[in-house]
Amino acid sequence: MADTDQRVAIVGCGIIGRTHADTIAARPDATVTALVDSDADARAALAARLKEAGHPEPGQYDDLAGALSESDVTLVAICTPSGTHAALAEEALEAKKHVVIEKPLDVELIRARRLGAAASRAANHGVVTSVISQHRFDAGSAQVKQAIDAGRFGQLTSAVATVAWWRSDEYYASAGWRGTWAQDGGGALMNQGVHTVDLLLWFMGRPVSIYAQAIRAAHQAIEVEDTVVATITFENGAVGTLHATTAAFPGGRTRVSVHGTEGGAELEDDLLARFNADGVKDDQSIDAGPPGGHKAQYDDILAAIANGEQPGITVQHAIDALATVKAVYIASTLQRPVKFVDVLEGRYDDVDVSRGIGLPPA
């Protein structure tokens, strides 16, 4: 391993931790050197997985403090339950380590804002902090964004985003944190839909106001919503609808469509399904390509570290996505539209959003 290679600690050795570990293990410029998890079996299983694939066996630690004090890691990947993300990221930043956080940034805006300030201070010293938003790196998403920025769709008028998935009761019961406000931070929107929220903001810009209704339609054993619908107005004058559910058996597709006066596009399951631009009907300039995934975002993150730059996805991008999700929950709770900037700046921090998740009509 070269001196410039990143030595990575994976914090959280569950499903998403394995994704990060596999992504890093496939790179020539980074190595997993530490695994952190209070579950000894989980970290041992991931260590064995890496070793069997021909990689050096990483050290194993019960907590991040142990890994930071006893190993020479340079980058920390946070892959734990959502409600623990910000605190662990701050701990890593205090140790002057680069940080990658799996989505969402956290489940509470108060912690997210504090982390944002810590990340800004760290950036002044060349420390990189990024949050996984890998679908911005999909080829189709990038083509849509480039067209928007170039004005090829004309005036943007509307957008529609939907995540229609199915999650069984067994899924929610398989881990104690799933479906809880404290650790999952929400349901279909916070967990499954946050990537789609991020794409919607990337394409359409900052929201102005949000109105929403969130319900538990099919999973009464959880605390959070399994279905939500919201309407959003954006600073550019366009409007959008946002829908997310884990109560759509047997599981449907994820779609994001953008519409304008000179064209538009639709992404379906991360691939570009339709593209019209420059006032031309049936434009053939579709080059969907394969999804970029975590690999493409790690390309961006490690290049930023190597070049002394900041990554394409910053903590502030993730704060905006989190604030949008929280605004949906707040609007459902209060049963009225809320201003995005008021949510972002903390004017609704005292609202108990758990009261806003209703049951479907009898």
Side-chain angles (χ1 to χ4, degrees):
M1 185 169 63
D3 290 341
T4 56
D5 291 352
Q6 296 301 310
R7 299 175 294 279
V8 185
I10 304 290
V11 186
C13 298
I15 295 172
I16 199 64
R18 291 196 294 273
T19 298
H20 282 253
D22 290 347
T23 302
I24 293 162
R27 303 188 62 88
D29 53 357
T31 303
V32 177
T33 59
L35 298 176
V36 179
D37 201 303
S38 59
D39 184 337
D41 291 338
R43 65 176 190 259
L46 185 50
R49 177 189 181 96
L50 291 166
K51 187 176 180 180
E52 289 167 6
H55 302 289
E57 185 172 359
Q60 298 182 41
Y61 304 91
D62 288 326
D63 55 35
L64 179 56
L68 293 175
S69 64
E70 298 173 22
S71 69
D72 60 349
V73 300
T74 58
L75 186 152
V76 175
I78 308 297
C79 305
T80 53
S82 304
T84 65
H85 286 179
L88 288 165
E90 278 198 79
E91 185 179 354
L93 288 175
E94 288 174 2
K96 298 181 172 56
K97 309 300 182 185
H98 305 294
V99 178
V100 177
I101 307 165
E102 182 55 48
K103 65 82 182 171
L105 175 65
D106 199 85
V107 302
E108 292 297 340
L109 276 169
I110 294 173
R111 294 196 294 262
R113 294 187 202 101
R114 189 171 63 231
L115 176 59
S120 294
R121 293 192 299 270
N124 293 329
H125 301 284
V127 176
V128 167
T129 311
S130 190
V131 182
I132 294 295
S133 303
Q134 76 268 26
H135 294 302
R136 291 196 186 196
F137 296 89
D138 294 345
S141 300
Q143 186 172 336
V144 173
K145 176 62 173 174
Q146 289 164 4
I148 291 171
D149 289 348
R152 297 183 63 196
F153 296 160
Q155 176 188 341
L156 293 182
T157 56
S158 63
V160 178
T162 179
V163 180
W165 290 7
W166 171 254
R167 290 292 184 266
S168 66
D169 289 337
E170 290 75 18
Y171 164 82
Y172 287 109
S174 66
W177 63 275
R178 286 187 175 136
T180 68
W181 285 110
Q183 294 300 314
D184 219 354
L189 188 59
M190 180 70 85
N191 193 318
Q192 283 76 26
V194 67
H195 281 308
T196 303
V197 171
D198 179 70
L199 279 183
L200 191 63
L201 300 188
W202 197 40
F203 294 155
M204 302 301 290
R206 175 172 280 201
V208 174
S209 66
I210 296 171
Y211 181 67
Q213 186 69 55
I215 63 173
R216 275 189 298 274
H219 301 95
Q220 299 310 315
I222 63 176
E223 298 175 358
V224 297
E225 92 290 351
D226 63 12
T227 303
V228 62
V229 176
T231 57
I232 304 173
T233 60
F234 295 94
E235 287 183 347
N236 61 8
V239 295
T241 61
L242 174 63
H243 162 251
T245 183
T246 54
F249 184 84
R253 298 183 181 276
T254 299
R255 293 186 178 93
V256 180
S257 58
V258 177
H259 308 282
T261 56
E262 295 291 325
E266 183 170 355
L267 295 159
E268 184 173 298
D269 288 343
D270 310 327
L271 299 176
L272 190 56
R274 179 182 66 82
F275 186 92
N276 305 108
D278 308 316
V280 177
K281 187 178 181 181
D282 298 325
D283 189 349
Q284 297 301 306
S285 60
I286 294 179
D287 181 17
H294 284 71
K295 177 188 179 302
Q297 186 159 359
Y298 266 101
D299 287 344
D300 174 77
I301 292 166
L302 293 180
I305 293 172
N307 297 327
E309 301 171 348
Q310 285 302 298
I313 310 298
T314 66
V315 170
Q316 189 57 55
H317 292 126
I319 289 175
D320 287 348
L322 176 60
T324 302
V325 172
K326 296 295 280 191
V328 168
Y329 294 151
I330 292 165
S332 180
T333 300
L334 301 180
Q335 286 294 290
R336 61 175 173 80
V338 298
K339 298 291 187 183
F340 171 79
V341 68
D342 289 343
V343 176
L344 187 69
E345 295 178 356
R347 294 183 180 91
Y348 291 105
D349 281 353
D350 60 346
V351 173
D352 178 6
V353 295
S354 68
R355 297 186 294 105
I357 309 305
L359 297 175

